[in-house]
mmCIF file with all atom_site columns, all heavy atoms in Angstrom:
data_model
loop_
_atom_site.group_PDB
_atom_site.id
_atom_site.type_symbol
_atom_site.label_atom_id
_atom_site.label_alt_id
_atom_site.label_comp_id
_atom_site.label_asym_id
_atom_site.label_entity_id
_atom_site.label_seq_id
_atom_site.pdbx_PDB_ins_code
_atom_site.Cartn_x
_atom_site.Cartn_y
_atom_site.Cartn_z
_atom_site.occupancy
_atom_site.B_iso_or_equiv
_atom_site.pdbx_formal_charge
_atom_site.auth_seq_id
_atom_site.auth_comp_id
_atom_site.auth_asym_id
_atom_site.auth_atom_id
_atom_site.pdbx_PDB_model_num
ATOM 1   N N   . MET A 1 68 ? -9.608  2.984  11.650  1.00 77.00 ? 68 MET A N   1
ATOM 2   C CA  . MET A 1 68 ? -10.014 2.040  10.607  1.00 77.00 ? 68 MET A CA  1
ATOM 3   C C   . MET A 1 68 ? -9.210  0.762  10.695  1.00 77.00 ? 68 MET A C   1
ATOM 4   O O   . MET A 1 68 ? -9.695  -0.299 10.506  1.00 77.00 ? 68 MET A O   1
ATOM 5   C CB  . MET A 1 68 ? -9.912  2.712  9.286   1.00 77.00 ? 68 MET A CB  1
ATOM 6   C CG  . MET A 1 68 ? -10.919 3.791  8.978   1.00 77.00 ? 68 MET A CG  1
ATOM 7   S SD  . MET A 1 68 ? -10.778 4.338  7.274   1.00 77.00 ? 68 MET A SD  1
ATOM 8   C CE  . MET A 1 68 ? -11.807 5.833  7.299   1.00 77.00 ? 68 MET A CE  1
ATOM 9   N N   . LYS A 1 69 ? -7.885  0.904  10.899  1.00 76.00 ? 69 LYS A N   1
ATOM 10  C CA  . LYS A 1 69 ? -7.095  -0.315 10.942  1.00 76.00 ? 69 LYS A CA  1
ATOM 11  C C   . LYS A 1 69 ? -7.482  -1.180 12.171  1.00 76.00 ? 69 LYS A C   1
ATOM 12  O O   . LYS A 1 69 ? -7.549  -2.391 12.098  1.00 76.00 ? 69 LYS A O   1
ATOM 13  C CB  . LYS A 1 69 ? -5.567  0.124  11.116  1.00 76.00 ? 69 LYS A CB  1
ATOM 14  C CG  . LYS A 1 69 ? -4.988  0.648  9.798   1.00 76.00 ? 69 LYS A CG  1
ATOM 15  C CD  . LYS A 1 69 ? -3.506  1.112  10.019  1.00 76.00 ? 69 LYS A CD  1
ATOM 16  C CE  . LYS A 1 69 ? -2.937  1.640  8.711   1.00 76.00 ? 69 LYS A CE  1
ATOM 17  N NZ  . LYS A 1 69 ? -1.572  2.115  8.910   1.00 76.00 ? 69 LYS A NZ  1
ATOM 18  N N   . LYS A 1 70 ? -7.719  -0.547 13.312  1.00 76.00 ? 70 LYS A N   1
ATOM 19  C CA  . LYS A 1 70 ? -8.077  -1.335 14.456  1.00 76.00 ? 70 LYS A CA  1
ATOM 20  C C   . LYS A 1 70 ? -9.386  -2.016 14.305  1.00 76.00 ? 70 LYS A C   1
ATOM 21  O O   . LYS A 1 70 ? -9.580  -3.145 14.881  1.00 76.00 ? 70 LYS A O   1
ATOM 22  C CB  . LYS A 1 70 ? -8.071  -0.373 15.739  1.00 76.00 ? 70 LYS A CB  1
ATOM 23  C CG  . LYS A 1 70 ? -6.740  0.014  16.224  1.00 76.00 ? 70 LYS A CG  1
ATOM 24  C CD  . LYS A 1 70 ? -6.901  0.832  17.513  1.00 76.00 ? 70 LYS A CD  1
ATOM 25  C CE  . LYS A 1 70 ? -5.552  1.206  18.084  1.00 76.00 ? 70 LYS A CE  1
ATOM 26  N NZ  . LYS A 1 70 ? -5.622  1.975  19.351  1.00 76.00 ? 70 LYS A NZ  1
ATOM 27  N N   . SER A 1 71 ? -10.332 -1.443 13.552  1.00 73.00 ? 71 SER A N   1
ATOM 28  C CA  . SER A 1 71 ? -11.622 -2.046 13.359  1.00 73.00 ? 71 SER A CA  1
ATOM 29  C C   . SER A 1 71 ? -11.744 -2.885 12.101  1.00 73.00 ? 71 SER A C   1
ATOM 30  O O   . SER A 1 71 ? -12.800 -3.291 11.724  1.00 73.00 ? 71 SER A O   1
ATOM 31  C CB  . SER A 1 71 ? -12.710 -0.950 13.380  1.00 73.00 ? 71 SER A CB  1
ATOM 32  O OG  . SER A 1 71 ? -12.438 -0.010 12.310  1.00 73.00 ? 71 SER A OG  1
ATOM 33  N N   . HIS A 1 72 ? -10.539 -3.109 11.459  1.00 78.00 ? 72 HIS A N   1
ATOM 34  C CA  . HIS A 1 72 ? -10.514 -3.874 10.220  1.00 78.00 ? 72 HIS A CA  1
ATOM 35  C C   . HIS A 1 72 ? -11.490 -3.328 9.133   1.00 78.00 ? 72 HIS A C   1
ATOM 36  O O   . HIS A 1 72 ? -12.084 -4.079 8.458   1.00 78.00 ? 72 HIS A O   1
ATOM 37  C CB  . HIS A 1 72 ? -10.830 -5.326 10.523  1.00 78.00 ? 72 HIS A CB  1
ATOM 38  C CG  . HIS A 1 72 ? -9.942  -5.922 11.548  1.00 78.00 ? 72 HIS A CG  1
ATOM 39  N ND1 . HIS A 1 72 ? -8.647  -6.226 11.387  1.00 78.00 ? 72 HIS A ND1 1
ATOM 40  C CD2 . HIS A 1 72 ? -10.291 -6.282 12.861  1.00 78.00 ? 72 HIS A CD2 1
ATOM 41  C CE1 . HIS A 1 72 ? -8.146  -6.688 12.515  1.00 78.00 ? 72 HIS A CE1 1
ATOM 42  N NE2 . HIS A 1 72 ? -9.070  -6.801 13.422  1.00 78.00 ? 72 HIS A NE2 1
ATOM 43  N N   . PHE A 1 73 ? -11.489 -2.023 9.063   1.00 81.00 ? 73 PHE A N   1
ATOM 44  C CA  . PHE A 1 73 ? -12.426 -1.292 8.173   1.00 81.00 ? 73 PHE A CA  1
ATOM 45  C C   . PHE A 1 73 ? -11.784 -0.950 6.860   1.00 81.00 ? 73 PHE A C   1
ATOM 46  O O   . PHE A 1 73 ? -12.425 -0.678 5.856   1.00 81.00 ? 73 PHE A O   1
ATOM 47  C CB  . PHE A 1 73 ? -12.867 -0.010 8.949   1.00 81.00 ? 73 PHE A CB  1
ATOM 48  C CG  . PHE A 1 73 ? -14.114 0.623  8.368   1.00 81.00 ? 73 PHE A CG  1
ATOM 49  C CD1 . PHE A 1 73 ? -14.937 -0.088 7.478   1.00 81.00 ? 73 PHE A CD1 1
ATOM 50  C CD2 . PHE A 1 73 ? -14.527 1.843  8.764   1.00 81.00 ? 73 PHE A CD2 1
ATOM 51  C CE1 . PHE A 1 73 ? -16.143 0.499  7.006   1.00 81.00 ? 73 PHE A CE1 1
ATOM 52  C CE2 . PHE A 1 73 ? -15.707 2.504  8.365   1.00 81.00 ? 73 PHE A CE2 1
ATOM 53  C CZ  . PHE A 1 73 ? -16.516 1.732  7.399   1.00 81.00 ? 73 PHE A CZ  1
ATOM 54  N N   . GLU A 1 74 ? -10.435 -0.942 6.828   1.00 85.00 ? 74 GLU A N   1
ATOM 55  C CA  . GLU A 1 74 ? -9.696  -0.432 5.637   1.00 85.00 ? 74 GLU A CA  1
ATOM 56  C C   . GLU A 1 74 ? -10.002 -1.188 4.383   1.00 85.00 ? 74 GLU A C   1
ATOM 57  O O   . GLU A 1 74 ? -10.402 -0.606 3.378   1.00 85.00 ? 74 GLU A O   1
ATOM 58  C CB  . GLU A 1 74 ? -8.199  -0.495 5.954   1.00 85.00 ? 74 GLU A CB  1
ATOM 59  C CG  . GLU A 1 74 ? -7.428  0.027  4.807   1.00 85.00 ? 74 GLU A CG  1
ATOM 60  C CD  . GLU A 1 74 ? -5.894  -0.148 5.084   1.00 85.00 ? 74 GLU A CD  1
ATOM 61  O OE1 . GLU A 1 74 ? -5.493  -0.521 6.227   1.00 85.00 ? 74 GLU A OE1 1
ATOM 62  O OE2 . GLU A 1 74 ? -5.076  0.220  4.211   1.00 85.00 ? 74 GLU A OE2 1
ATOM 63  N N   . THR A 1 75 ? -9.837  -2.491 4.385   1.00 89.00 ? 75 THR A N   1
ATOM 64  C CA  . THR A 1 75 ? -10.066 -3.327 3.162   1.00 89.00 ? 75 THR A CA  1
ATOM 65  C C   . THR A 1 75 ? -11.492 -3.300 2.706   1.00 89.00 ? 75 THR A C   1
ATOM 66  O O   . THR A 1 75 ? -11.755 -3.062 1.444   1.00 89.00 ? 75 THR A O   1
ATOM 67  C CB  . THR A 1 75 ? -9.601  -4.753 3.410   1.00 89.00 ? 75 THR A CB  1
ATOM 68  O OG1 . THR A 1 75 ? -8.162  -4.766 3.719   1.00 89.00 ? 75 THR A OG1 1
ATOM 69  C CG2 . THR A 1 75 ? -9.796  -5.643 2.150   1.00 89.00 ? 75 THR A CG2 1
ATOM 70  N N   . PRO A 1 76 ? -12.521 -3.513 3.530   1.00 90.00 ? 76 PRO A N   1
ATOM 71  C CA  . PRO A 1 76 ? -13.896 -3.387 3.053   1.00 90.00 ? 76 PRO A CA  1
ATOM 72  C C   . PRO A 1 76 ? -14.245 -2.029 2.459   1.00 90.00 ? 76 PRO A C   1
ATOM 73  O O   . PRO A 1 76 ? -15.002 -1.947 1.491   1.00 90.00 ? 76 PRO A O   1
ATOM 74  C CB  . PRO A 1 76 ? -14.729 -3.683 4.327   1.00 90.00 ? 76 PRO A CB  1
ATOM 75  C CG  . PRO A 1 76 ? -13.804 -4.506 5.202   1.00 90.00 ? 76 PRO A CG  1
ATOM 76  C CD  . PRO A 1 76 ? -12.442 -3.983 4.914   1.00 90.00 ? 76 PRO A CD  1
ATOM 77  N N   . LEU A 1 77 ? -13.689 -0.920 3.042   1.00 90.00 ? 77 LEU A N   1
ATOM 78  C CA  . LEU A 1 77 ? -13.983 0.349  2.540   1.00 90.00 ? 77 LEU A CA  1
ATOM 79  C C   . LEU A 1 77 ? -13.330 0.524  1.165   1.00 90.00 ? 77 LEU A C   1
ATOM 80  O O   . LEU A 1 77 ? -13.967 1.043  0.261   1.00 90.00 ? 77 LEU A O   1
ATOM 81  C CB  . LEU A 1 77 ? -13.411 1.415  3.502   1.00 90.00 ? 77 LEU A CB  1
ATOM 82  C CG  . LEU A 1 77 ? -13.697 2.904  3.107   1.00 90.00 ? 77 LEU A CG  1
ATOM 83  C CD1 . LEU A 1 77 ? -15.170 3.147  2.890   1.00 90.00 ? 77 LEU A CD1 1
ATOM 84  C CD2 . LEU A 1 77 ? -13.136 3.839  4.135   1.00 90.00 ? 77 LEU A CD2 1
ATOM 85  N N   . LYS A 1 78 ? -12.094 0.108  1.008   1.00 91.00 ? 78 LYS A N   1
ATOM 86  C CA  . LYS A 1 78 ? -11.455 0.162  -0.324  1.00 91.00 ? 78 LYS A CA  1
ATOM 87  C C   . LYS A 1 78 ? -12.237 -0.570 -1.379  1.00 91.00 ? 78 LYS A C   1
ATOM 88  O O   . LYS A 1 78 ? -12.448 -0.061 -2.457  1.00 91.00 ? 78 LYS A O   1
ATOM 89  C CB  . LYS A 1 78 ? -10.027 -0.420 -0.230  1.00 91.00 ? 78 LYS A CB  1
ATOM 90  C CG  . LYS A 1 78 ? -8.980  0.504  0.392   1.00 91.00 ? 78 LYS A CG  1
ATOM 91  C CD  . LYS A 1 78 ? -7.626  -0.248 0.372   1.00 91.00 ? 78 LYS A CD  1
ATOM 92  C CE  . LYS A 1 78 ? -6.547  0.599  0.961   1.00 91.00 ? 78 LYS A CE  1
ATOM 93  N NZ  . LYS A 1 78 ? -5.218  -0.033 0.938   1.00 91.00 ? 78 LYS A NZ  1
ATOM 94  N N   . GLU A 1 79 ? -12.711 -1.771 -0.995  1.00 93.00 ? 79 GLU A N   1
ATOM 95  C CA  . GLU A 1 79 ? -13.463 -2.616 -2.013  1.00 93.00 ? 79 GLU A CA  1
ATOM 96  C C   . GLU A 1 79 ? -14.756 -1.946 -2.329  1.00 93.00 ? 79 GLU A C   1
ATOM 97  O O   . GLU A 1 79 ? -15.155 -1.937 -3.485  1.00 93.00 ? 79 GLU A O   1
ATOM 98  C CB  . GLU A 1 79 ? -13.679 -3.987 -1.397  1.00 93.00 ? 79 GLU A CB  1
ATOM 99  C CG  . GLU A 1 79 ? -12.458 -4.789 -1.268  1.00 93.00 ? 79 GLU A CG  1
ATOM 100 C CD  . GLU A 1 79 ? -12.692 -6.167 -0.548  1.00 93.00 ? 79 GLU A CD  1
ATOM 101 O OE1 . GLU A 1 79 ? -13.782 -6.340 0.042   1.00 93.00 ? 79 GLU A OE1 1
ATOM 102 O OE2 . GLU A 1 79 ? -11.764 -6.954 -0.533  1.00 93.00 ? 79 GLU A OE2 1
ATOM 103 N N   . TRP A 1 80 ? -15.409 -1.320 -1.351  1.00 93.00 ? 80 TRP A N   1
ATOM 104 C CA  . TRP A 1 80 ? -16.712 -0.682 -1.597  1.00 93.00 ? 80 TRP A CA  1
ATOM 105 C C   . TRP A 1 80 ? -16.475 0.556  -2.479  1.00 93.00 ? 80 TRP A C   1
ATOM 106 O O   . TRP A 1 80 ? -17.225 0.734  -3.503  1.00 93.00 ? 80 TRP A O   1
ATOM 107 C CB  . TRP A 1 80 ? -17.291 -0.221 -0.220  1.00 93.00 ? 80 TRP A CB  1
ATOM 108 C CG  . TRP A 1 80 ? -18.764 0.190  -0.395  1.00 93.00 ? 80 TRP A CG  1
ATOM 109 C CD1 . TRP A 1 80 ? -19.844 -0.568 -0.300  1.00 93.00 ? 80 TRP A CD1 1
ATOM 110 C CD2 . TRP A 1 80 ? -19.196 1.501  -0.655  1.00 93.00 ? 80 TRP A CD2 1
ATOM 111 N NE1 . TRP A 1 80 ? -20.980 0.171  -0.439  1.00 93.00 ? 80 TRP A NE1 1
ATOM 112 C CE2 . TRP A 1 80 ? -20.623 1.500  -0.686  1.00 93.00 ? 80 TRP A CE2 1
ATOM 113 C CE3 . TRP A 1 80 ? -18.576 2.708  -0.853  1.00 93.00 ? 80 TRP A CE3 1
ATOM 114 C CZ2 . TRP A 1 80 ? -21.423 2.642  -0.903  1.00 93.00 ? 80 TRP A CZ2 1
ATOM 115 C CZ3 . TRP A 1 80 ? -19.353 3.883  -1.070  1.00 93.00 ? 80 TRP A CZ3 1
ATOM 116 C CH2 . TRP A 1 80 ? -20.744 3.798  -1.060  1.00 93.00 ? 80 TRP A CH2 1
ATOM 117 N N   . VAL A 1 81 ? -15.475 1.406  -2.236  1.00 93.00 ? 81 VAL A N   1
ATOM 118 C CA  . VAL A 1 81 ? -15.230 2.576  -2.967  1.00 93.00 ? 81 VAL A CA  1
ATOM 119 C C   . VAL A 1 81 ? -14.886 2.258  -4.433  1.00 93.00 ? 81 VAL A C   1
ATOM 120 O O   . VAL A 1 81 ? -15.333 2.868  -5.369  1.00 93.00 ? 81 VAL A O   1
ATOM 121 C CB  . VAL A 1 81 ? -14.106 3.426  -2.344  1.00 93.00 ? 81 VAL A CB  1
ATOM 122 C CG1 . VAL A 1 81 ? -13.622 4.528  -3.220  1.00 93.00 ? 81 VAL A CG1 1
ATOM 123 C CG2 . VAL A 1 81 ? -14.568 4.007  -1.001  1.00 93.00 ? 81 VAL A CG2 1
ATOM 124 N N   . HIS A 1 82 ? -14.033 1.188  -4.597  1.00 92.00 ? 82 HIS A N   1
ATOM 125 C CA  . HIS A 1 82 ? -13.599 0.846  -5.933  1.00 92.00 ? 82 HIS A CA  1
ATOM 126 C C   . HIS A 1 82 ? -14.497 -0.050 -6.741  1.00 92.00 ? 82 HIS A C   1
ATOM 127 O O   . HIS A 1 82 ? -14.142 -0.535 -7.813  1.00 92.00 ? 82 HIS A O   1
ATOM 128 C CB  . HIS A 1 82 ? -12.137 0.251  -5.797  1.00 92.00 ? 82 HIS A CB  1
ATOM 129 C CG  . HIS A 1 82 ? -11.088 1.205  -5.417  1.00 92.00 ? 82 HIS A CG  1
ATOM 130 N ND1 . HIS A 1 82 ? -10.412 1.964  -6.356  1.00 92.00 ? 82 HIS A ND1 1
ATOM 131 C CD2 . HIS A 1 82 ? -10.598 1.535  -4.188  1.00 92.00 ? 82 HIS A CD2 1
ATOM 132 C CE1 . HIS A 1 82 ? -9.581  2.770  -5.715  1.00 92.00 ? 82 HIS A CE1 1
ATOM 133 N NE2 . HIS A 1 82 ? -9.636  2.517  -4.425  1.00 92.00 ? 82 HIS A NE2 1
ATOM 134 N N   . SER A 1 83 ? -15.641 -0.327 -6.175  1.00 88.00 ? 83 SER A N   1
ATOM 135 C CA  . SER A 1 83 ? -16.656 -1.203 -6.926  1.00 88.00 ? 83 SER A CA  1
ATOM 136 C C   . SER A 1 83 ? -17.093 -0.594 -8.178  1.00 88.00 ? 83 SER A C   1
ATOM 137 O O   . SER A 1 83 ? -17.527 -1.214 -9.124  1.00 88.00 ? 83 SER A O   1
ATOM 138 C CB  . SER A 1 83 ? -17.790 -1.517 -6.017  1.00 88.00 ? 83 SER A CB  1
ATOM 139 O OG  . SER A 1 83 ? -18.580 -0.322 -5.827  1.00 88.00 ? 83 SER A OG  1
ATOM 140 N N   . GLY A 1 84 ? -17.012 0.780  -8.224  1.00 81.00 ? 84 GLY A N   1
ATOM 141 C CA  . GLY A 1 84 ? -17.412 1.505  -9.473  1.00 81.00 ? 84 GLY A CA  1
ATOM 142 C C   . GLY A 1 84 ? -18.885 1.854  -9.558  1.00 81.00 ? 84 GLY A C   1
ATOM 143 O O   . GLY A 1 84 ? -19.239 2.697  -10.425 1.00 81.00 ? 84 GLY A O   1
ATOM 144 N N   . SER A 1 85 ? -19.693 1.349  -8.658  1.00 85.00 ? 85 SER A N   1
ATOM 145 C CA  . SER A 1 85 ? -21.110 1.587  -8.810  1.00 85.00 ? 85 SER A CA  1
ATOM 146 C C   . SER A 1 85 ? -21.619 2.511  -7.687  1.00 85.00 ? 85 SER A C   1
ATOM 147 O O   . SER A 1 85 ? -22.816 2.845  -7.702  1.00 85.00 ? 85 SER A O   1
ATOM 148 C CB  . SER A 1 85 ? -21.881 0.246  -8.597  1.00 85.00 ? 85 SER A CB  1
ATOM 149 O OG  . SER A 1 85 ? -21.545 -0.361 -7.366  1.00 85.00 ? 85 SER A OG  1
ATOM 150 N N   . HIS A 1 86 ? -20.706 3.029  -6.886  1.00 93.00 ? 86 HIS A N   1
ATOM 151 C CA  . HIS A 1 86 ? -21.098 3.989  -5.763  1.00 93.00 ? 86 HIS A CA  1
ATOM 152 C C   . HIS A 1 86 ? -20.520 5.342  -5.960  1.00 93.00 ? 86 HIS A C   1
ATOM 153 O O   . HIS A 1 86 ? -19.451 5.493  -6.614  1.00 93.00 ? 86 HIS A O   1
ATOM 154 C CB  . HIS A 1 86 ? -20.702 3.394  -4.430  1.00 93.00 ? 86 HIS A CB  1
ATOM 155 C CG  . HIS A 1 86 ? -21.138 1.998  -4.138  1.00 93.00 ? 86 HIS A CG  1
ATOM 156 N ND1 . HIS A 1 86 ? -20.334 0.884  -4.019  1.00 93.00 ? 86 HIS A ND1 1
ATOM 157 C CD2 . HIS A 1 86 ? -22.414 1.531  -4.038  1.00 93.00 ? 86 HIS A CD2 1
ATOM 158 C CE1 . HIS A 1 86 ? -21.056 -0.158 -3.772  1.00 93.00 ? 86 HIS A CE1 1
ATOM 159 N NE2 . HIS A 1 86 ? -22.289 0.156  -3.786  1.00 93.00 ? 86 HIS A NE2 1
ATOM 160 N N   . VAL A 1 87 ? -21.191 6.332  -5.358  1.00 97.00 ? 87 VAL A N   1
ATOM 161 C CA  . VAL A 1 87 ? -20.633 7.696  -5.393  1.00 97.00 ? 87 VAL A CA  1
ATOM 162 C C   . VAL A 1 87 ? -20.046 8.012  -4.049  1.00 97.00 ? 87 VAL A C   1
ATOM 163 O O   . VAL A 1 87 ? -20.627 7.726  -2.998  1.00 97.00 ? 87 VAL A O   1
ATOM 164 C CB  . VAL A 1 87 ? -21.750 8.679  -5.713  1.00 97.00 ? 87 VAL A CB  1
ATOM 165 C CG1 . VAL A 1 87 ? -21.243 10.109 -5.695  1.00 97.00 ? 87 VAL A CG1 1
ATOM 166 C CG2 . VAL A 1 87 ? -22.365 8.365  -7.074  1.00 97.00 ? 87 VAL A CG2 1
ATOM 167 N N   . VAL A 1 88 ? -18.830 8.579  -4.079  1.00 97.00 ? 88 VAL A N   1
ATOM 168 C CA  . VAL A 1 88 ? -18.046 8.865  -2.805  1.00 97.00 ? 88 VAL A CA  1
ATOM 169 C C   . VAL A 1 88 ? -17.623 10.359 -2.820  1.00 97.00 ? 88 VAL A C   1
ATOM 170 O O   . VAL A 1 88 ? -17.187 10.841 -3.823  1.00 97.00 ? 88 VAL A O   1
ATOM 171 C CB  . VAL A 1 88 ? -16.859 7.981  -2.718  1.00 97.00 ? 88 VAL A CB  1
ATOM 172 C CG1 . VAL A 1 88 ? -16.156 8.149  -1.347  1.00 97.00 ? 88 VAL A CG1 1
ATOM 173 C CG2 . VAL A 1 88 ? -17.214 6.474  -2.842  1.00 97.00 ? 88 VAL A CG2 1
ATOM 174 N N   . TRP A 1 89 ? -17.787 10.997 -1.620  1.00 98.00 ? 89 TRP A N   1
ATOM 175 C CA  . TRP A 1 89 ? -17.304 12.336 -1.442  1.00 98.00 ? 89 TRP A CA  1
ATOM 176 C C   . TRP A 1 89 ? -16.447 12.393 -0.222  1.00 98.00 ? 89 TRP A C   1
ATOM 177 O O   . TRP A 1 89 ? -16.882 12.040 0.877   1.00 98.00 ? 89 TRP A O   1
ATOM 178 C CB  . TRP A 1 89 ? -18.463 13.283 -1.420  1.00 98.00 ? 89 TRP A CB  1
ATOM 179 C CG  . TRP A 1 89 ? -18.155 14.734 -1.106  1.00 98.00 ? 89 TRP A CG  1
ATOM 180 C CD1 . TRP A 1 89 ? -16.954 15.322 -1.290  1.00 98.00 ? 89 TRP A CD1 1
ATOM 181 C CD2 . TRP A 1 89 ? -19.079 15.670 -0.604  1.00 98.00 ? 89 TRP A CD2 1
ATOM 182 N NE1 . TRP A 1 89 ? -17.046 16.679 -0.876  1.00 98.00 ? 89 TRP A NE1 1
ATOM 183 C CE2 . TRP A 1 89 ? -18.422 16.945 -0.508  1.00 98.00 ? 89 TRP A CE2 1
ATOM 184 C CE3 . TRP A 1 89 ? -20.443 15.659 -0.296  1.00 98.00 ? 89 TRP A CE3 1
ATOM 185 C CZ2 . TRP A 1 89 ? -18.962 18.121 -0.024  1.00 98.00 ? 89 TRP A CZ2 1
ATOM 186 C CZ3 . TRP A 1 89 ? -20.981 16.829 0.094   1.00 98.00 ? 89 TRP A CZ3 1
ATOM 187 C CH2 . TRP A 1 89 ? -20.244 18.037 0.292   1.00 98.00 ? 89 TRP A CH2 1
ATOM 188 N N   . GLY A 1 90 ? -15.209 12.921 -0.344  1.00 96.00 ? 90 GLY A N   1
ATOM 189 C CA  . GLY A 1 90 ? -14.321 13.090 0.840   1.00 96.00 ? 90 GLY A CA  1
ATOM 190 C C   . GLY A 1 90 ? -14.113 14.578 1.086   1.00 96.00 ? 90 GLY A C   1
ATOM 191 O O   . GLY A 1 90 ? -13.880 15.329 0.116   1.00 96.00 ? 90 GLY A O   1
#
Side-chain angles (χ1 to χ4, degrees):
M68 287 186 193
K69 287 178 180 178
K70 285 185 177 180
S71 61
H72 307 289
F73 200 10
E74 179 181 0
T75 299
L77 181 57
K78 283 183 180 179
E79 292 175 349
W80 192 90
V81 169
H82 289 275
S83 69
S85 58
H86 305 115
V87 178
V88 184
W89 175 20

